[in-house]
Amino acid sequence: MNYDVIVVGAGVVGALTARELARYELKVLVLEAEADAAMGATKANSAIVHGGFAEGSDTLKGRLCVLGRRKFASLEAELNFGFRTTGSLVLGFSGSGERLQALYEKGLANGVTDLELWSGQQVRAHEPAVNPEVEGALWCAGAGVCSPWDLALAALENAMAHGVEVKLNQPVTAVARPEPGAWRLSTPKDSYNTRFVVNCAGLGGGHLDALAGLYDSALTPRSGEYLVFAQGTGSLVNSVLFQLPGPLGKGVLVGPTYQGNLLVGPDARNEDSGRHTHTDRLRAIVEQANRVVSGIDLKKAIRSFTGVRSMAPGGDFLVGPANSQTHQGWLRAVGIQSPGLTASPALAELLVTNLAQEGLGLVPRAGFDPTRRALPVHLSRRPAPLSFAQAESLTKLEPGNPERMVCRCEQVRECDLAEAFSRGVPVCTVDGLKRRTRAGMGWCQGKFCRPRVALWLQEQLGTPVEPVEEAQRSGLHRVQGRDFLGLRPPSDQGRAQ
Ligand SMILES: Cc1cc2nc3c(=O)[nH]c(=O)nc-3n(C[C@H](O)[C@H](O)[C@H](O)COP(=O)(O)OP(=O)(O)OC[C@H]3O[C@@H](n4cnc5c(N)ncnc54)[C@H](O)[C@@H]3O)c2cc1C
């Protein structure tokens, strides 16, 4: 099969790149190793649309962060993936005035226009829960939070509506050059010929480059752990609260998610800890978060998770043609650590510009429609919550009734599952439906709904579906349930909850 461009990896960078390519009369394929899109770093991160002041304009990640951030409002208007502006604060304690000032100036040099230095009093007026010892902060009005996997899925849905093909469960395992000007990518299922390859394989990007004979992109994994709290807890804060950045990144933040959960984390360790979570790391995260705000209630913690950043040599993004002489037609976007989500719309545009410079003809597709309808999970479509008793009574409806409530905690009905199932990237796992509908993301973490969702999906697919989470299947050990209470600092642990 012959394509103009194959994008390897259906994370946010690959998905948005595929969507940019869909604007042109091209034959485009996305190959993804996993059973769903957005299964790498795109699934597990802080989901912040950063202001663009933390990285310098002498880095690609700094420049693309500022450019990418500016595109989020229009992207949201087109794709309805879930983005809202919250503003962010970098909090300064005693003696940090100079460092806040330096960040402010870096932001100005980057072209960021919505920054202000705030006094401690201004901070507390905006964020009543913040530590009274905070002496000042850098405020960025336009920073926000989004739903990263929805962004990737929405971009792919929009790309697929214009002929882009997406093949899941197809890891690229071999790369060949059948003739000059062509590449052949093989997966365990098939082989595909193409003129151009864009390596957006995240943490797998170094290995993919090596399959093509490129050895300059060995990536270092850097893991970060988080705690998520029940829906509604995000109202503890009004904006995203950072501490001053350290040598390993932006540090532990406290912020709301797009859907209104409280999120605390991440830490940073130069290792891929297998995506397990650890009591000692989470305890240190909670301690740092408690330094920022009071009122974090561990009784309301519902989940821990780990995300893994990929760090390229030198620490910057590695983007563009690999080597136009020896590897004509091979492009990449690897080492896309934070702020890669924020930068992703700009990264996608840059990659398409690079492809054109490398010889890809770009004939605009007549009738390209950049819009994609929101899923029921989007805040614009979520109905006012029912009482638990009302939701419970809807669970008693017969299977097959679109109004039957499948997930009580997040109030997901059969018709919501059906809509998510029928859109864009095929869904073949319980977790795929969870990401698209939130069934299983609530208080009970799927205990009630997972078997019901699995049965529903089984009916649609006509094949057995195990009521098991990806994390369980892959043997992940995650701190959960009652163990969250053990994350209190030792001094607190004797107190009644
Ligand atoms: C802890 C953490 C916190 C972060 N916080 C933020 C934040 O708040 N704001 C922000 O802007 N950025 C943040 N980031 C960065 C952001 O998440 C990433 O930059 C972004 O998700 C990278 O997307 P990607 O598409 O490059 O990679 P990924 O999402 O990792 O996608 C790569 C895809 O390639 C697939 N793949 C790999 N190998 C192969 C192969 N051989 N064949 C086929 N497919 C393959 C994988 O399965 C995966 O789906 C954070 C990252 C982490 C880990």
Side-chain angles (χ1 to χ4, degrees):
M1 278 161 277
N2 293 312
Y3 293 89
D4 295 308
V5 186
I6 296 183
V7 176
V8 184
V12 70
V13 177
L16 283 167
T17 302
R19 175 178 182 256
E20 279 308 304
L21 290 168
R23 296 177 189 273
Y24 305 99
E25 294 288 350
L26 296 167
K27 206 164 155 39
V28 178
L29 170 66
V30 179
L31 288 174
E32 168 53 49
E34 300 284 343
D36 198 1
M39 296 288 284
T42 300
K43 185 179 69 165
N45 57 62
S46 310
I48 311 298
V49 177
H50 287 291
F53 49 82
E55 291 83 16
S57 57
D58 54 337
T59 63
L60 189 57
K61 58 186 180 181
R63 293 194 297 278
L64 293 179
C65 179
V66 175
L67 293 174
R69 176 200 143 182
R70 290 187 189 136
K71 296 180 190 297
F72 265 76
S74 57
L75 257 188
E76 167 67 357
E78 289 175 352
L79 293 178
N80 292 296
F81 57 93
F83 162 65
R84 60 188 175 96
T85 305
T86 55
S88 70
L89 283 163
V90 182
L91 303 173
F93 291 85
S94 171
S96 52
E98 275 181 25
R99 291 181 66 200
L100 287 176
Q101 178 73 31
L103 266 187
Y104 173 67
E105 283 167 16
K106 197 193 269 187
L108 293 186
N110 286 357
V112 183
T113 54
D114 55 356
L115 298 176
E116 288 172 22
L117 285 166
W118 280 9
S119 67
Q121 208 177 10
Q122 279 174 294
V123 174
R124 277 181 287 283
H126 188 73
E127 294 288 356
V130 98
N131 183 337
E133 287 171 25
V134 165
E135 290 192 351
L138 177 63
W139 165 248
C140 177
V145 293
C146 73
S147 183
W149 56 81
D150 278 322
L151 173 55
L153 290 166
L156 287 172
E157 185 180 327
N158 188 227
M160 290 166 80
H162 297 91
V164 170
E165 294 173 48
V166 177
K167 294 186 189 289
L168 303 172
N169 290 310
Q170 296 227 31
V172 174
T173 48
V175 175
R177 290 212 84 165
E179 58 192 67
W183 293 95
R184 177 174 297 143
L185 304 188
S186 299
T187 74
K189 287 193 187 146
D190 217 332
S191 289
Y192 308 92
N193 290 339
T194 180
R195 290 165 55 218
F196 293 90
V197 176
V198 189
N199 173 359
C200 299
L203 210 46
H207 177 64
L208 186 66
D209 268 1
L211 291 177
L214 291 156
Y215 301 100
D216 59 340
S217 56
L219 303 174
T220 305
R222 179 176 290 172
S223 70
E225 300 193 6
Y226 293 88
L227 262 189
V228 190
F229 294 74
Q231 202 173 139
T233 50
S235 61
L236 178 69
V237 289
N238 295 309
S239 46
V240 179
L241 306 181
F242 296 104
Q243 302 181 51
L244 277 160
L248 287 182
K250 300 183 186 76
V252 168
L253 65 86
V254 177
T257 66
Y258 170 73
Q259 295 282 353
N261 302 64
L262 186 73
L263 181 73
V264 304
D267 60 355
R269 281 206 193 166
N270 279 345
E271 61 183 34
D272 182 350
S273 52
R275 291 170 179 76
H276 304 297
T277 58
H278 304 85
T279 307
D280 57 335
R281 289 179 65 173
L282 292 174
R283 185 175 292 130
I285 288 168
V286 170
E287 258 176 56
Q288 289 192 53
N290 281 336
R291 188 165 175 252
V292 171
V293 288
S294 55
I296 294 176
D297 184 353
L298 286 169
K299 288 199 298 281
K300 294 189 176 162
I302 54 173
R303 192 171 186 82
S304 63
F305 70 89
T306 304
V308 187
R309 313 154 178 98
S310 55
M311 321 294 292
D316 205 353
F317 296 166
L318 201 51
V319 179
N323 182 329
S324 302
Q325 302 302 315
T326 58
H327 287 74
Q328 215 272 321
W330 186 276
L331 287 87
R332 62 208 175 166
V334 296
I336 311 300
Q337 50 154 308
S338 185
L341 171 62
T342 312
S344 57
L347 262 166
E349 286 188 7
L350 175 61
L351 285 164
V352 174
T353 303
N354 289 160
L355 281 163
Q357 286 161 349
E358 292 293 293
L360 178 69
L362 297 180
V363 178
R365 183 184 296 281
F368 176 78
D369 176 0
T371 61
R372 172 262 192 188
R373 206 157 45 89
L375 280 173
V377 74
H378 192 266
L379 292 182
S380 67
R381 286 193 61 191
R382 290 206 89 176
L386 302 175
S387 69
F388 188 81
Q390 286 170 318
E392 175 72 11
S393 74
L394 291 179
T395 64
K396 310 278 190 304
L397 295 174
E398 284 297 310
N401 185 327
E403 291 305 314
R404 183 171 74 107
M405 193 67 79
V406 187
C407 168
R408 292 179 304 199
C409 307
E410 293 289 329
Q411 306 206 341
V412 182
R413 297 160 303 162
E414 271 199 23
C415 55
D416 303 323
L417 299 182
E419 185 172 347
F421 181 77
S422 66
R423 302 264 294 266
V425 179
V427 186
C428 57
T429 62
V430 173
D431 279 15
L433 277 173
K434 171 175 151 180
R435 280 186 288 279
R436 289 160 178 81
T437 64
R438 292 185 63 81
M441 287 198 186
W443 263 111
C444 86
Q445 287 290 295
K447 285 192 187 70
F448 177 84
C449 66
R450 200 176 304 120
R452 288 164 172 78
V453 172
L455 266 180
W456 184 90
L457 187 57
Q458 189 164 297
E459 284 281 307
Q460 316 305 312
L461 295 172
T463 52
V465 174
E466 271 187 281
V468 175
E469 282 192 299
E470 284 146 10
Q472 285 168 285
R473 189 176 292 119
S474 58
L476 272 190
H477 170 75
R478 280 188 176 150
V479 179
Q480 54 186 321
R482 293 190 63 79
D483 294 339
F484 290 136
L485 294 180
L487 301 176
R488 283 176 291 160
S491 54
D492 263 16
Q493 289 193 14
R495 292 190 204 156
Q497 280 287 314

